[in-house]
């Protein structure tokens, strides 16, 4: 019933048929409009290291990825989602340096 609050649903999904590890985690999101509940935007983010930026946390190794590296990939995927939501809301997106 709020007239100024958006709701964002975030779901972590892992396709058990194709995923080889938790590194294949996908993050789906849906943003709903205030009051009406209409879908304003949807999207998906992936845990990939193929993102622009000056920070290298750890090189990918064969086998399982370290917890610190996976945590940073989750953080970056969340930042990507946040930037997309801010863009839809026509708000200034801060520049990551």
């Amino acid at each position: 019933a709020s007239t100024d609050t958006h709701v964002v649903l975030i779901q972590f999904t892992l396709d058990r048929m194709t995923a080889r590890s938790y590194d294949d985690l996908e993050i789906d999101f849906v943003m709903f409009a205030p009051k009406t509940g209409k879908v304003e935007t949807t999207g998906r983010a992936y845990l990939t290291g193929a993102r622009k930026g000056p920070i290298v946390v750890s090189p990918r190794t064969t086998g399982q990825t370290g917890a610190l590296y996976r945590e940073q990939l989750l953080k970056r995927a969340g930042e990507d989602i946040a930037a997309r939501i801010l863009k839809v809301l026509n708000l200034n997106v801060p520049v990551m340096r």
Side-chain angles (χ1 to χ4, degrees), residues 52-63:
K52 293 191 307 185
I55 299 172
V56 176
V57 177
S58 171
R60 234 185 224 279
T61 58
T62 57

Side-chain angles (χ1 to χ4, degrees), residues 5 7 9 12 17 25 30 46 52 57 64 67 80 86 95:
T5 303
V7 174
L9 171 66
F12 295 89
M17 299 298 283
L25 189 69
V30 180
Y46 302 93
K52 293 191 307 185
V57 177
Q64 292 187 346
D80 287 342
L86 289 174
V95 177

Side-chain angles (χ1 to χ4, degrees), residues 21-35:
S21 71
Y22 285 114
D23 295 336
D24 296 325
L25 189 69
E26 299 172 352
I27 307 167
D28 296 324
F29 70 95
V30 180
M31 183 175 77
F32 300 97
K35 198 169 185 176

Side-chain angles (χ1 to χ4, degrees), residues 1 3-4 6-7 11 23 29 33 40 42 47-49 54 61 67 75-76 79-80 85-86 88:
T3 59
D4 61 351
H6 288 79
V7 174
Q11 291 181 308
D23 295 336
F29 70 95
E40 287 196 349
T42 65
L47 300 188
T48 62
T61 58
K75 179 180 176 186
R76 288 180 174 203
E79 290 170 352
D80 287 342
I85 289 172
L86 289 174
V88 168

